[in-house]
Amino acid sequence: MGENLKDMGLSFDEFDERRRPATVTTSFDDVLNRTQSRRGFMKSAAMFGSAVFVMSVWNAAASKAAGRPNFDFEPVRANTLDTVTVPNGYSWRPLITWGDPLWSDGALFDDQSRGSGRCQERVFGDNNDGMAIFLKGGRHVIAINNEYANQSIIDGNRASGLPETADDIFKGKMAHGISIFEMTDKSGAWAPVVDSEYNRRITADTSFEITGPARGHEWLKTKADLDGTRALGTFNNCGNGETPWGTYLACEENFNGYFSSSDPSYEAPDTFKRYGIGNRDWGYGWAKTDARFDISKHPNEPNRFGYVVEVDPLDPTSTPKKRTALGRLKHENVELVLSADKHVVVYMGDDERGEFLYKFVSASQYDAKDNPLDLLDDGTLYVAIFNDDMTVSYTHLRAHETSL
């Protein structure tokens, strides 16, 4: 499948920048360039500094009046130690580590083999990102994104530091996605509850329902899904969000790096170039064993990624959903709030340099008494416009631009 990150010595961002240089600036870039001259920057910094000073004095006075110190701990000094540094009087310990079993049939981590694909299905995934804790009947369930796999580590048993067998590739797929497990306080130390009914791995092969305006679209139909309503997998999940109805939101970010072409002469469409999808992947090699990641054979498959996904962490039998009304982009984060009139408002950012910030407003209002599970399927998607007076306005995206 051609060169990979290891061969080229590139980071993910450098790889994407080489494939699609960000030559177009956003409105935020333009405003910043026009307003932040050296004089403007110094003036803004002075104003910001004055505000911070006033607030600091006010907070200090309020704290003194209340008879309490500004902080109840001594701040730590910056350092480059390979550890977690906490203030004096505090301690820390790991909750869970890559390769720790979530079920009793999951094998303990083997440093020599770095685990098998089957083993990785039953253990905690790799590279944490967004996470959230959910409570039910006094029980604590945590959902954690496993954004990507460090190939030099997960395949550290291979001389190349890359997947060399079909099982190596499968192991990498199983290391991605979302890990959900119950945790409990055991004598002052939190630990996973092995074999809990809530434990679940959502990976690159998990079945998802496609919802919202892109559901059934011609560009989402494949040989394996003629209706364009079901997709397999989620990966490169970055930031997260929570909903008032108790579900977990995960962001499909740099999904482009998992696709490649077995045909080196394949000409990717312009829509692929915008997302950085091309004939080479990041070295995971998924297309070698799973043809749906080969864009020359299944050109619609990449269109089924780049969404915010919604998971019910308290119902391990539920089917996760890809909420296409929230747009298709390299989702960096998702933050959900309720407006004063109870509409759901979702704020999102795009990880790609030179891209945009978005806001989604639900068509219907949230009512805790009703089933709200479709609120993220119908609404209006806006893109942020940054003005010279340092304010932000939003413009509505047309329906056909909101998803694909």
Side-chain angles (χ1 to χ4, degrees):
M1 297 293 177
E3 296 177 301
N4 54 58
L5 291 175
K6 184 178 177 65
D7 295 334
M8 295 185 287
L10 300 177
S11 68
F12 295 146
D13 291 335
E14 290 168 337
F15 183 91
D16 285 349
E17 184 69 16
R18 174 179 290 192
R19 174 165 288 168
R20 178 185 172 268
T23 56
V24 179
T25 60
T26 65
S27 63
F28 179 80
D29 295 323
D30 294 336
V31 169
L32 202 61
N33 291 334
R34 288 197 298 270
T35 61
Q36 295 300 315
S37 63
R38 178 175 175 82
R39 178 178 297 178
F41 175 80
M42 295 303 294
K43 182 178 179 181
S44 298
M47 292 176 63
F48 176 75
S50 298
V52 170
F53 174 76
V54 170
M55 290 302 295
S56 298
V57 171
W58 185 88
N59 285 332
S63 296
K64 184 176 181 180
R68 64 177 184 271
N70 291 338
F71 301 103
D72 61 357
F73 61 86
E74 180 183 351
V76 301
R77 292 182 177 276
N79 64 69
T80 57
L81 301 175
D82 186 17
T83 186
V84 179
T85 304
V86 295
N88 292 332
Y90 291 79
S91 63
W92 70 275
R93 61 178 60 86
L95 169 64
I96 195 169
T97 303
W98 166 56
D100 286 351
L102 298 180
W103 293 272
S104 55
D105 62 354
L108 294 175
F109 182 76
D110 180 358
D111 187 62
Q112 295 301 314
S113 69
R114 307 298 168 96
S116 65
R118 169 61 181 162
C119 173
Q120 185 63 63
E121 281 187 287
R122 308 295 286 170
V123 302
F124 185 66
D126 200 6
N127 274 292
N128 305 342
D129 206 295
M131 62 189 73
I133 297 175
F134 299 84
L135 305 178
K136 183 176 182 180
R139 300 170 72 174
H140 297 74
V141 177
I142 188 169
I144 304 177
N145 290 344
N146 301 122
E147 185 173 359
Y148 61 96
N150 281 316
Q151 291 174 288
S152 61
I153 297 176
I154 196 171
D155 295 311
N157 58 316
R158 304 301 184 191
S160 65
L162 292 169
E164 295 180 358
T165 68
D167 191 67
D168 289 345
I169 294 172
F170 180 60
K171 178 174 65 174
K173 291 173 71 177
M174 294 303 99
H176 284 71
I178 305 169
S179 294
I180 301 173
F181 60 91
E182 182 181 359
M183 60 183 188
T184 189
D185 186 354
K186 295 183 178 180
S187 302
W190 288 91
V193 178
V194 176
D195 291 326
S196 168
E197 63 194 277
Y198 295 112
N199 292 359
R200 185 179 189 185
R201 284 299 320 282
I202 296 174
T203 70
D205 285 346
T206 300
S207 179
F208 279 75
E209 181 184 355
I210 300 173
T211 72
R215 178 182 174 87
H217 194 284
E218 289 299 318
W219 290 357
L220 269 70
K221 296 179 180 179
T222 65
K223 293 179 181 178
D225 176 29
L226 298 177
D227 297 326
T229 60
R230 292 274 176 171
L232 287 182
T234 189
F235 40 84
N236 213 270
N237 301 100
C238 192
N240 74 287
E242 301 175 56
T243 68
W245 48 92
T247 57
Y248 182 74
L249 303 177
C251 298
E252 295 180 338
E253 191 184 18
N254 296 302
F255 63 93
N256 59 299
Y258 299 83
F259 294 92
S260 59
S261 172
S262 58
D263 178 3
S265 63
Y266 176 74
E267 288 289 336
D270 289 341
T271 52
F272 278 18
K273 296 175 184 178
R274 175 67 183 273
Y275 290 104
I277 302 167
N279 290 355
R280 295 195 302 269
D281 66 6
W282 286 342
Y284 289 116
W286 290 2
K288 295 178 181 178
T289 59
D290 190 341
R292 64 192 173 100
F293 291 97
D294 188 332
I295 59 176
S296 65
K297 297 178 179 177
H298 301 279
N300 275 356
E301 189 67 26
N303 299 333
R304 294 144 70 83
F305 297 90
Y307 301 104
V308 171
V309 301
E310 184 175 8
V311 181
D312 185 347
L314 300 178
D315 181 4
T317 66
S318 61
T319 300
K321 295 176 172 57
K322 298 202 175 196
R323 299 298 191 183
T324 66
L326 300 184
R328 180 171 178 253
L329 50 131
K330 293 184 177 181
H331 286 277
E332 169 68 24
N333 65 298
V334 55
E335 183 62 32
L336 188 152
V337 297
L338 292 178
S339 65
D341 57 359
K342 300 299 182 181
H343 285 270
V344 173
V345 183
V346 184
Y347 294 94
M348 298 165 287
D350 191 324
D351 185 63
E352 189 80 10
R353 190 165 70 87
E355 291 296 338
F356 302 89
L357 299 178
Y358 299 88
K359 177 178 72 172
F360 170 88
V361 181
S362 66
S364 302
Q365 295 171 304
Y366 170 68
D367 185 349
K369 298 178 182 179
D370 293 332
N371 186 344
L373 298 183
D374 60 351
L375 282 179
L376 299 182
D377 284 340
D378 185 16
T380 304
L381 187 64
Y382 301 86
V383 64
I385 302 295
F386 294 88
N387 305 310
D388 286 350
D389 62 359
M390 308 306 286
T391 61
V392 179
S393 56
Y394 288 89
T395 184
H396 171 225
L397 290 172
R398 295 191 300 274
H400 74 273
E401 295 176 330
T402 63
S403 301
L404 302 175

